[in-house]
Amino acid sequence: MPAAVPPRRLPALLSSVLPWVGVAAQPVAVLYAPVAESGGGGLGFGGWWIPLRYLLPALVVALPAGLLPRRPLVALGMMLAGATMVTATVNSGEDSYLSDIWYLQFLVVDVTVGVVVASRSRRLALPATALVLVVQVVVAFVNPGTDPVNRAVLSVLAVVTAATVGSSVRARRRYAVALRSHAAAEAVTAERLRIARELHDMVAHSIGIIAIQAGVGARVIDTQPAQARAALRTIEATSRDTLAGLRRTLGALRRPESASSLDPTPGLDDLDRLVAAGADAGIRVDLRRVGRGAVPDDIGLAVFRIVQEAVTNVVRHAGTDTCRVVVEQRPDELGVEVTDDGRGGPVGGEGHGIVGMRERVALLGGRFTAAPRPEGGFRVVVRLPLPAAVKR
């Protein structure tokens, strides 16, 4: 027995199949358009009545429209070919009818020209626009109806207008992309500066410990050698941890004018605070820790910030009241996974939280993914390598 299609995948399946159903049905509409022009049939919707002699020419250009989002050039070509075939094959004695269906069909073709110009490069859009213009002017004199010259002039104006509007839309989109790229670059810089300030606080704390232990060792080295040796071991361990943290976050810069925070550096043990903060915001955070052990301060801080940003994104964008956080410590890496069952959606938007998380993970040499889940919702997955000193 074949497996049923999951409900969440059914819309995607329909959106990929229905456009090609319209493509397959277009030749039928083209063939029956000349037959229907002399008939009296039609379709009724409430108080509306649409004669088949108008409905079929409209379907000729409407059926390929489902291809516009993914294959606009193919859709434009089929619309142009269909409108041309209908104009050449419908031989009615009513000039007004011939003019009506001509305007009906080529208005849709001209709008599609604007869509193609807006969504494709000039190398493809310009030849397509020129082809539509030439064909439309020529077809204006086939089954001319009334005023073929005026229709040819209107064709030129309509195609030029559609191409101009499409070019303007494309320029605005490119400008918006440039703005987003610039904003993303600024977000990366801001995240690096934030990391550098936090790194500065950790280094300052470590240097303070080293200074204190060095003073203790200097005072007791002659009278209490064992305590002096313990102070030296503390200095060695603190120095190694600090240097390892500096190596893992090289590339981050710090503004000279920024002030250091006196707050303690958050880490894995502070994740419970995020659970409480999420509850205050109306989100139930299910936190699970798998494996425990000491981790460097910079890695613990990175995990805290990543979970903090991911939970914040759930509050702002997911449209759900629950999320799950799993922190798993393995011998050689620390894994973090934040999932929810909300609206999902593509990565992007106005904020730059994803950019900041990705940058923080990259500076630590880890791996980062953030994407909608196939079954619905969103998932953030982080893998951070652990230095040899903390592998167990």
Side-chain angles (χ1 to χ4, degrees):
M1 182 176 182
V5 178
R8 291 182 180 271
R9 296 186 181 180
L10 187 59
L13 181 62
L14 291 176
S15 65
S16 62
V17 172
L18 287 180
W20 296 107
V21 173
V23 168
Q26 191 208 28
V28 178
V30 172
L31 290 175
Y32 277 94
V35 178
E37 64 91 13
S38 59
L43 293 178
F45 300 96
W48 293 86
W49 174 259
I50 304 177
L52 283 178
R53 63 201 306 243
Y54 286 99
L55 179 60
L56 287 175
L59 287 176
V60 167
V61 291
L63 289 172
L67 294 178
L68 278 175
R70 298 178 182 177
R71 300 176 183 269
L73 285 175
V74 176
L76 176 61
M78 295 192 65
M79 290 179 183
L80 183 62
T84 302
M85 289 294 296
V86 170
T87 304
T89 57
V90 175
N91 299 296
S92 173
E94 301 178 37
D95 290 343
S96 60
Y97 171 67
L98 295 176
S99 296
D100 288 344
I101 63 172
W102 189 90
Y103 284 119
L104 170 68
Q105 291 187 313
F106 282 102
L107 177 62
V108 177
V109 172
D110 294 338
V111 171
T112 307
V113 168
V115 174
V116 170
V117 173
S119 60
R120 289 296 181 266
S121 65
R122 291 181 180 177
R123 182 174 60 86
L124 296 175
L126 286 178
T129 302
L131 176 63
V132 170
L133 180 59
V134 171
V135 171
Q136 194 166 337
V137 169
V138 171
V139 172
F141 293 91
V142 177
N143 282 348
T146 58
D147 299 325
V149 175
N150 288 340
R151 283 195 290 168
V153 173
L154 287 175
S155 296
V156 175
L157 293 177
V159 173
V160 170
T161 300
T164 302
V165 172
S167 180
S168 176
V169 171
R170 182 181 59 195
R172 292 183 62 183
R173 286 178 178 173
R174 294 179 62 182
Y175 179 68
V177 169
L179 285 181
R180 286 195 295 269
S181 299
H182 180 68
E186 288 187 342
V188 169
T189 301
E191 186 66 18
R192 289 191 173 201
L193 292 172
R194 182 184 182 187
I195 294 169
R197 288 192 292 270
E198 294 168 344
L199 179 63
H200 171 272
D201 297 339
M202 286 191 295
V203 172
H205 174 71
S206 300
I207 294 300
I209 293 175
I210 291 172
I212 292 172
Q213 294 296 326
V216 171
R219 285 194 297 271
V220 302
I221 191 170
D222 294 325
T223 59
Q224 302 179 46
Q227 188 174 351
R229 283 194 293 271
L232 290 174
R233 285 194 295 270
T234 301
I235 291 172
E236 179 185 14
T238 304
S239 301
R240 289 181 183 277
D241 291 343
T242 303
L243 288 174
L246 287 171
R247 292 191 187 99
R248 285 191 295 270
T249 54
L250 60 93
L253 302 175
R254 186 177 192 276
R255 285 196 181 101
E257 66 273 14
S258 57
S260 300
S261 172
L262 297 179
D263 296 333
T265 301
L268 294 181
D269 294 335
D270 298 285
L271 292 177
D272 291 333
R273 286 200 288 120
L274 296 182
V275 175
D280 293 339
I283 297 293
R284 183 172 62 83
V285 181
D286 180 14
L287 174 63
R288 187 163 64 96
R289 295 279 302 273
V290 180
R292 291 180 181 267
V295 298
D297 289 343
D298 55 338
I299 293 180
L301 173 62
V303 171
F304 180 87
R305 295 301 187 202
I306 289 167
V307 174
Q308 184 181 46
E309 182 63 37
V311 172
T312 301
N313 286 343
V314 173
V315 174
R316 292 178 178 174
H317 309 298
T320 183
D321 58 358
T322 60
C323 74
R324 293 169 297 283
V325 179
V326 179
V327 179
E328 182 178 3
Q329 184 170 347
R330 299 174 182 173
D332 57 347
E333 71 175 11
L334 188 66
V336 181
E337 182 174 305
V338 183
T339 58
D340 65 75
D341 297 320
R343 288 189 294 264
V347 177
E350 298 296 330
H352 299 287
I354 298 293
V355 175
M357 287 189 283
R358 181 177 287 111
E359 182 65 18
R360 191 177 284 270
V361 172
L363 287 175
L364 293 173
R367 303 187 304 277
F368 175 86
T369 57
R373 301 194 302 162
E375 62 271 27
F378 202 84
R379 177 189 288 119
V380 174
V381 179
V382 174
R383 295 286 183 265
L384 294 174
L386 291 174
V390 299
K391 292 179 183 178
R392 299 182 182 275

